[in-house]
Amino acid sequence: MLNALRLILSIATLCIAGQAAAADSGDTVRGHQLFSRCSGCHSVEGENKSGPFLNGVVGREAATVEGYRYSPALSNAGIIWTEEALDHYLAGPTKAVRGTRMSVSVSSE
């Protein structure tokens, strides 16, 4: 899962920066395929959809994207999004934070 997250975040960086750098695994096509699972709800361009935008998520405190209405559960979780915290949350959001609105799991790399 960590490799997939790194790839997704790398693709997000590419989209935002407009640079031609390769993703960690060097497979930008796979990165776009993986992110397509997320892009129905999330953006990397600073706009909230049904989920908050993901640009800059690593290092950010959970539930702090301005203009997005988070669940009280996530707002009070006290999580800083590290790679490890994201892996744990994405593997089972409703188990990691009971009451979160995100119900889609990313169970494998």
Side-chain angles (χ1 to χ4, degrees), residues 41-43 47-55 60 65 68 70:
C41 297
H42 296 280
S43 165
E47 66 183 55
N48 295 322
K49 295 170 96 177
S50 61
F53 73 87
L54 299 178
N55 181 29
R60 183 168 70 205
V65 169
Y68 185 76
Y70 291 94

Side-chain angles (χ1 to χ4, degrees), residues 4 7-8 11 27-40 109:
L7 184 58
I8 289 167
I11 295 303
D27 189 348
T28 56
V29 171
R30 181 71 177 134
H32 283 284
Q33 290 170 343
L34 289 170
F35 189 71
S36 70
R37 297 177 187 176
C38 309
S39 63
E109 291 184 24

Side-chain angles (χ1 to χ4, degrees), residues 1-10 34 57-58 82-84 86-87 90 109:
M1 182 176 317
L2 184 56
N3 290 334
L5 178 60
R6 285 184 180 148
L7 184 58
I8 289 167
L9 293 175
S10 295
L34 289 170
V57 69
V58 175
T82 62
E83 290 179 7
E84 296 79 16
L86 283 162
D87 279 348
L90 292 172
E109 291 184 24

